[in-house]
Amino acid sequence: MRHRGRYSRVVPPVPTPVLASFALLLTLHDGLPATKPAEVGMAAKRLEAIERVVLRGIRAGGYPGASVVVGRRGYSVFQRGYGKLSWSEDSPAVSPSGTIYDLASVSKVVGTTAAAMALFDEGKLDLDAPVVRWLPSFADGGLKDQVTVRHLLTHRSGLPAGRDLWRIAFTPAEARAALLQSVVRCEPGRCYEYSDLGMDVLALVLEEAAGESLDTYLARKIFTPLGMQDTYYRPASELRWRIAPTEVTPPRGYPLRGEVHDENAYILGGVAGHAGLFSTASDLAVFAQMMLNRGSYAGTRVIADSTVRLFTARSAGTRGLGWDTCAGEHGCGDFMGPRAFGHIGYTGTSLWIDPEREMFVILLTNRVHAARARRPAKVIADIRNDLADAAAWAVIDEPEIAVAKVAFRADSPKGWNKPLRAKRAKSRRGAKGKAVTKRVVVAKKVGTGKKSVSAKPKAKGVMAKRKVAPAKGRKG
């Protein structure tokens, strides 16, 4: 019997890769040409701080391994793998050119937004046209009819952040139908809510505009022309040994390796607007350099210069079109400016590009794989920011944007492995005694004489789901 929202499958064991084959593989796809940091105005000694920071994240149990690339002015100046693909003793070591990671929400920019940029260049995508032009079944005769492509790209469509499509759909077709029936909860253009659903609807628009599937279009227009041979959705089974595993006990019922981690992306067929793309750090370095070159790489232009400028500039709040921009959070550190653009991914990935410094920073991890730290999300957040800060600190040839000193979060970690359960239990006990008594005393002071409590205290740290533009709050 098939159960709604549950998956079952027999997964064959992963063969241990032959080291000679792995070494041969590493010689095939090396990404950007490498050079010494000094050749592009960077300090090698300062870049070495990256190693200390990333290794501290591994030792703290935040992730089993990591792949890092820092590039400037057309060259890779720091490209290293740390740790292993999993916590297993016999797991292969991570390689920037050999290890493939699930990019999670970085797919939104390297995949979905890149396709939108290319289709915009071709004149097939009008940013201010309503979604119903391409997807008539999206219409509801009300607010949904007002949603435009631009609203989807800036997360101002009014669609909610997410919805468990995987719980109500058995097939990709059913998931798409349910997606298109999602309710718009706010006037389009007025409210900001970081929405996976919005990017998924955008992917369907792009497929209609392109006349082919999103993965096929991206392979033809972006990845193949750039030589990104290890970037794809739904990687082939023979690549599984190179892919970093993700969740061990997901709703699907078996450990994930080579399948997209996100449940909605999986039920949508593995190709979705918000997730599904797999890649290596070396491949992403080529993509990042293409963006720094404003649409071209190694003599091949895939996106127009003007389109890169349009999509990466701030358009609504701190959001560009598809891209996020740096506002001192989400992995861009303390020193990148507002012109920097990028994105992070839930699985522990990030890509940030700084045109002012002509530099990019890539971090790929699988922090969702049996993390040993109590708060792996805090670990990866600090490591992302430290990595960006180390790269900015290493730029020494431009005095006007030089960074004199950096205090790395990983050197004095806060909250990475802080035990929370005991404190929460104590807080709950106090809510029935001490906290209530305090309110009663206050009531007597104001002369009410009432000892009853009509409502529970409001929880701290609860954020509103929607904010009126131009709000700055975002999800990663």
Side-chain angles (χ1 to χ4, degrees):
M1 179 181 293
R2 186 172 55 172
H3 297 281
R4 188 172 295 273
R6 294 183 178 272
Y7 317 100
S8 61
R9 195 183 77 172
V10 177
V11 181
V14 181
T16 303
V18 179
L19 294 180
S21 298
F22 191 71
L24 175 62
L25 170 70
L26 301 188
T27 66
L28 299 179
H29 310 305
D30 293 329
L32 289 180
T35 193
K36 294 181 179 178
E39 296 296 320
V40 290
M42 301 184 80
K45 187 174 181 179
R46 293 186 176 186
L47 283 171
E48 287 301 320
I50 292 173
E51 180 156 324
R52 183 179 77 251
V53 164
V54 174
L55 287 176
R56 286 191 174 179
I58 294 175
R59 291 172 188 142
Y63 42 86
S67 189
V68 178
V69 180
V70 177
R72 191 169 194 233
R73 294 176 180 164
Y75 292 94
S76 167
V77 296
F78 190 98
Q79 178 166 304
R80 295 182 191 174
Y82 297 98
K84 299 181 177 182
L85 274 66
S86 75
W87 296 107
S88 172
E89 287 295 328
D90 60 355
S91 178
V94 171
S95 160
S97 57
T99 305
I100 302 168
Y101 282 94
D102 180 336
L103 300 186
S105 284
V106 174
S107 305
K108 290 181 172 79
V109 291
V110 178
T112 311
T113 300
M117 296 166 79
L119 286 165
F120 177 79
D121 282 345
E122 294 175 1
K124 296 179 179 179
L125 190 68
D126 182 346
L127 300 182
D128 295 308
V131 169
V132 295
R133 173 185 295 183
W134 294 276
L135 303 172
S137 60
F138 185 72
D140 68 350
L143 291 178
K144 290 176 71 174
D145 295 18
Q146 302 173 28
V147 177
T148 66
V149 172
R150 190 183 300 273
H151 291 147
L152 297 176
L153 283 164
T154 57
H155 296 276
R156 279 165 170 76
S157 66
L159 286 166
R163 180 184 173 199
D164 287 345
L165 302 176
W166 60 275
R167 292 184 184 274
I168 60 176
F170 290 143
T171 66
E174 289 180 4
R176 293 187 190 102
L179 169 65
L180 293 175
Q181 295 304 309
S182 299
V183 177
V184 167
R185 305 190 301 190
C186 181
E187 181 183 347
R190 184 172 182 270
C191 297
Y192 169 83
E193 185 167 11
Y194 179 86
S195 176
D196 284 353
L197 296 182
M199 295 303 286
D200 289 335
V201 171
L202 177 60
L204 299 185
V205 168
L206 300 179
E207 290 185 335
E208 291 296 322
E212 58 188 322
S213 66
L214 180 65
D215 56 336
T216 300
Y217 180 78
L218 281 165
R220 180 172 62 83
K221 292 291 294 187
I222 306 292
F223 303 149
T224 299
L226 293 178
M228 296 170 63
Q229 300 180 51
D230 286 319
T231 303
Y232 22 62
Y233 298 85
R234 297 182 297 199
S237 59
E238 57 264 28
L239 297 172
R240 192 167 178 264
W241 65 273
R242 293 177 53 197
I243 300 172
T246 53
E247 197 164 348
V248 176
T249 57
R252 264 165 269 177
Y254 52 85
L256 300 182
R257 186 173 189 177
E259 282 185 9
V260 61
H261 170 261
D262 185 273
E263 296 296 336
N264 273 358
Y266 177 74
I267 198 59
L268 283 165
V271 181
H274 76 285
L277 199 60
F278 288 74
S279 189
T280 64
S282 293
D283 262 17
L284 291 186
V286 171
F287 184 89
Q289 189 60 50
M290 178 274 293
M291 293 297 295
L292 277 174
N293 294 346
R294 294 174 183 164
S296 68
Y297 177 76
T300 299
R301 178 163 294 281
V302 293
I303 301 171
D305 178 300
S306 58
T307 301
V308 173
R309 289 174 179 268
L310 173 66
F311 274 69
T312 59
R314 287 187 174 178
S315 177
T318 60
R319 279 278 169 187
L321 295 174
W323 292 90
D324 201 358
T325 65
C326 187
E329 56 183 346
H330 296 133
C332 65
D334 294 333
F335 305 109
M336 288 189 184
R339 289 182 58 206
F341 55 93
H343 217 283
I344 63 174
Y346 184 80
T347 51
T349 58
S350 60
L351 164 64
W352 280 98
I353 301 168
D354 188 347
E356 189 175 20
R357 290 181 173 84
E358 304 173 83
M359 177 186 78
F360 65 81
V361 181
I362 295 164
L363 172 66
L364 301 182
T365 78
N366 54 335
R367 66 103 180 171
V368 295
H369 177 67
R372 296 176 176 180
R374 287 190 175 95
R375 298 178 66 188
K378 175 61 175 170
V379 176
I380 196 63
D382 285 350
I383 299 304
R384 284 176 180 137
N385 284 310
D386 279 353
L387 180 56
D389 286 349
W393 183 44
V395 176
I396 57 175
D397 66 342
E398 298 187 28
E400 66 276 9
I401 56 173
V403 176
K405 187 177 181 181
V406 177
F408 293 109
R409 299 156 185 81
D411 288 339
S412 301
K414 296 180 180 179
W416 287 13
N417 279 296
K418 186 177 181 180
L420 300 175
R421 186 170 297 176
K423 287 193 173 183
R424 286 173 179 167
K426 184 177 179 181
S427 176
R428 285 194 295 270
R429 290 194 299 269
K432 296 182 179 180
K434 185 176 179 181
V436 172
T437 303
K438 184 177 180 180
R439 288 209 305 274
V440 171
V441 171
V442 171
K444 287 185 176 181
K445 283 183 179 180
V446 296
T448 65
K450 297 180 180 178
K451 296 183 181 181
S452 61
V453 180
S454 59
K456 295 180 180 179
K458 187 175 181 180
K460 293 183 180 180
V462 177
M463 297 178 65
K465 290 184 178 180
R466 294 197 303 273
K467 294 187 178 182
V468 177
K472 293 184 179 180
R474 296 161 293 166
K475 289 173 64 179

